[in-house]
Amino acid sequence: MHAIRGRLAALLLAVVAVVAGTMAPAEAGGRQDDRRGWTGTWATAPSEHYEVSGMSEVTVRMPVHTSVGGSSVRIRLTNAYATDPVTIGHATVGLRDGGSAVAGPHDLRFGGKREVTIPAGGQAVSDPVGLSVPALADLVISLHLPGQVTHITDHWWAQQTVYWTDYGAGDHAADTAGDAFTWTTSSWPFLSGVDVTAPKARSVVALGDSITDGSFSTADTNQRWPDLLSARLNACRPGAGVLNAGITSNRITAGTATNPSALDRLERDVLSQPGARTLILFEGINDLGGASAEQIIAGMTEIADRAHQRGMRVVGATITPYKDFTWGGWSEATEARRQQVNAFVRDSGGVFDEYADFDRAVRDPADPRRLDAAYDSGDHLHPNDAGMKAFADSIDLTALGLGRGCT
């Protein structure tokens, strides 16, 4: 019935990524947001786009898991990859009430208007709405798409069930019950961020690839390592936002038109995030087959330098083992490069403020070239939920520089 369903199924075999877009009609990020007390509580990096046909008068409902709580909320939407504008006829936000149900959805406006048209390549930021947002809770964002939708920009492989009405069903953004939402996908369309007012809190951005993205962690349970780090941080006060900027197959040293390098997306996905004070850089595994250790280290150094210029603290993470990866790519040469890069991360001479030893946290003691079986999702590269927890638990919270005395 729906072209989108076949397209999403095909994406399971695709390599996906993003290109940057401009913000409209409002800007988010920077010191002005800091002064107003905004910080990100949830984020994702747009990672692909696809064409659809016959889509109009449809509503999509997206659960997202908060990190830090706040007293008001706004959302950020993206149309980064589209060739046509997209119109949001009605948007709401509310606390999840199980499945696709929402407790008391609040209307969102954009520049005082209920409807917003986002140009091709652009973004939109909603006006704030007063809503007490708890830490570590599920919010639901609903978007009614009234016009003909030709392209969807989204984040693929969200590890989260997203709910849709049938085409032509109309506006169900304000529904409390979820009965109108009759089919599901597992990607976040158009949504790139959720911010809250939390004047004493700041955020951590995790820049990474599919491992940070949460690939092969248990869907709908928020077991990605940034989520688990968030649970640790928000057991302290005043809490902190943790923003996931992972994209499947991302690299530091190179990219494509649809999967730009970490360097090329650094401004959009990290430096412009509201309240961002710390970067955790966990990339490089996808570079090992095509770049030298020196090139990877140079890329890491440039990322750290640019973040430092913006007043951010930078924590480097070691690259994890992947011998016997199901789809290949490991060799003695790539292992030697991994060891050389990891030696730099552990002793960067001031390039990084601190480091997190993710390699040590999940490697097999009997063969450090391999992922420990207890942490292996099955493909010998991506960690399971226990491996994700091992990452989060291995981070020294004081290294994040967020001013809290918890450990």
Side-chain angles (χ1 to χ4, degrees), residues 25 49 58 65 73 97 116 148 181 201 233 261 331 355:
H49 83 99
V58 64
H65 194 63
V73 62
D97 195 24
V116 63
Q148 194 73 26
F181 298 88
L233 282 171
S261 71
S331 68
Y355 75 92

Side-chain angles (χ1 to χ4, degrees), residues 145-274:
L145 308 170
Q148 194 73 26
V149 180
T150 59
H151 291 81
I152 290 178
T153 293
D154 75 354
H155 181 90
W156 178 57
W157 213 340
Q159 298 296 90
Q160 175 66 58
T161 300
V162 169
Y163 305 90
W164 294 79
T165 67
D166 281 330
Y167 293 7
D171 183 5
H172 290 274
D175 289 10
T176 54
D179 298 346
F181 298 88
T182 55
W183 59 287
T184 64
T185 58
S186 57
S187 61
W188 286 302
F190 303 114
L191 185 66
S192 61
V194 180
D195 309 324
V196 296
T197 49
K200 295 183 179 180
R202 292 294 179 261
S203 61
V204 178
V205 186
L207 180 62
D209 48 43
S210 58
I211 299 177
T212 295
D213 204 11
S215 300
F216 297 97
S217 64
T218 302
D220 295 321
T221 61
N222 303 302
Q223 294 297 306
R224 312 164 195 87
W225 72 260
D227 293 315
L228 299 172
L229 174 62
S230 172
R232 289 187 66 204
L233 282 171
N234 284 285
C236 311
R237 291 293 179 267
V242 180
L243 309 180
N244 191 327
I247 295 179
T248 294
S249 300
N250 200 234
R251 291 178 289 172
I252 293 173
T253 59
T256 68
T258 56
N259 193 342
S261 71
L263 284 161
D264 288 340
R265 67 189 184 93
L266 183 67
E267 177 67 35
R268 186 200 63 189
D269 291 344
V270 178
L271 303 182
S272 66
Q273 293 287 354

Side-chain angles (χ1 to χ4, degrees), residues 299-361:
M300 289 179 163
T301 300
E302 183 178 342
I303 289 171
D305 286 348
R306 288 171 58 188
H308 282 145
Q309 289 169 15
R310 299 287 278 272
M312 294 184 70
R313 189 172 179 83
V314 184
V315 176
T318 50
I319 302 174
T320 49
Y322 66 104
K323 187 180 180 185
D324 300 326
F325 175 46
T326 300
W327 289 283
W330 184 92
S331 68
E332 293 292 349
T334 63
E335 178 64 20
R337 288 195 281 275
R338 186 178 76 90
Q339 295 294 344
Q340 186 176 343
V341 172
N342 283 352
F344 164 76
V345 172
R346 293 182 179 111
D347 186 11
S348 68
V351 170
F352 298 123
D353 298 287
E354 296 285 352
Y355 75 92
D357 206 339
F358 285 1
D359 169 42
R360 183 182 181 90

Side-chain angles (χ1 to χ4, degrees), residues 59-64 73-77 88-96 100-110 113-116 126-127 129 131 139-145 171-177 181 191 193-194:
T59 305
V60 59
R61 180 160 279 184
M62 295 170 279
V64 302
V73 62
R74 71 184 183 190
I75 67 170
R76 287 177 278 132
L77 302 175
I88 310 299
H90 185 197
T92 64
V93 60
L95 294 172
R96 195 178 192 183
S100 56
V102 183
H106 290 62
D107 287 343
L108 290 165
R109 294 187 177 274
F110 299 82
K113 299 178 180 179
R114 175 164 156 151
E115 182 175 289
V116 63
S126 77
D127 302 336
V129 63
L131 174 64
L139 282 180
V140 175
I141 290 86
S142 301
L143 306 176
H144 169 229
L145 308 170
D171 183 5
H172 290 274
D175 289 10
T176 54
F181 298 88
L191 185 66
V194 180

